[in-house]
Amino acid sequence: MIPSEETRISMFPMDYEEFLWALGDTETFTLMRYAFEHRRALGDAVHRTLMRRFRLYILVGGMPQAVNAYLRYNELKQVDEVKREILELYIDDLREIDKTGRASRIFESIPAELSKGKLRYMVGSVIENADAQKLDTIWQDLENSLTINFSYKCNDPNIGFALHKDYEYFKLYLGDTGLFIT
């Protein structure tokens, strides 16, 4: 294929509305939107059902292969196996991007770093003698991969958010909740 014939598309995991569509539910999100816009309560039974479905979305996530596994087997064990395969592919890709292995270590350490309850991602606890500024290209590669999300500290969250973003203080999250749970 020559470059002029190629079209790039940015792909993201399914959001909650798309997840409901995959389950065959086209009405729930419309109901939720209506209730929100008109400030109407849905009732306890409906709320419990919606929360159960939302928790299912958090567990399964929005990766199409994981959602298909859930629809096919209706079993979270099968879904978890699919998500582990996806994570292994991500780690293999990160090892290809960064031959030193630092990018894959950063990716794999995200859940552990978040569970420590620190105010920011501590690079030195993952990679010896490293600080965030020395890893600029790795941060860019990780962000461009769309597998993780950066959450920056903001000293003044007004309209000019980007003007007050503190690049020294950030946390990392996986781009998909299901992969994060796994």
Side-chain angles (χ1 to χ4, degrees), residues 16-17 20 25 27-40 42 46-47 49-51 53-54:
Y16 183 54
E17 183 177 17
L20 291 174
D25 182 353
E27 297 172 6
T28 298
F29 206 81
T30 305
L31 173 67
M32 288 171 43
R33 183 178 292 126
Y34 176 84
F36 180 77
E37 288 172 355
H38 294 88
R39 298 182 180 168
R40 303 263 187 215
L42 295 174
V46 173
H47 185 261
T49 302
L50 293 175
M51 287 306 296
R53 285 231 170 126
F54 186 68

Side-chain angles (χ1 to χ4, degrees), residues 122-137:
M122 302 300 289
V123 180
S125 66
V126 178
I127 301 170
E128 284 187 41
N129 301 321
D131 63 8
Q133 292 175 345
K134 292 180 182 176
L135 302 173
D136 273 348
T137 57

Side-chain angles (χ1 to χ4, degrees), residues 79-116:
V79 174
D80 195 55
E81 289 175 12
V82 168
K83 292 188 297 182
R84 287 184 190 283
E85 289 175 14
I86 293 169
L87 287 169
E88 286 177 22
L89 289 171
Y90 279 179
I91 291 167
D92 289 345
D93 285 348
L94 290 171
R95 287 184 183 132
E96 285 295 315
I97 292 170
D98 175 43
K99 302 288 188 202
T100 65
R102 294 179 297 180
S104 60
R105 272 189 276 156
I106 289 169
F107 181 82
E108 289 177 293
S109 72
I110 291 172
E113 286 297 307
L114 286 171
S115 69
K116 291 178 183 176

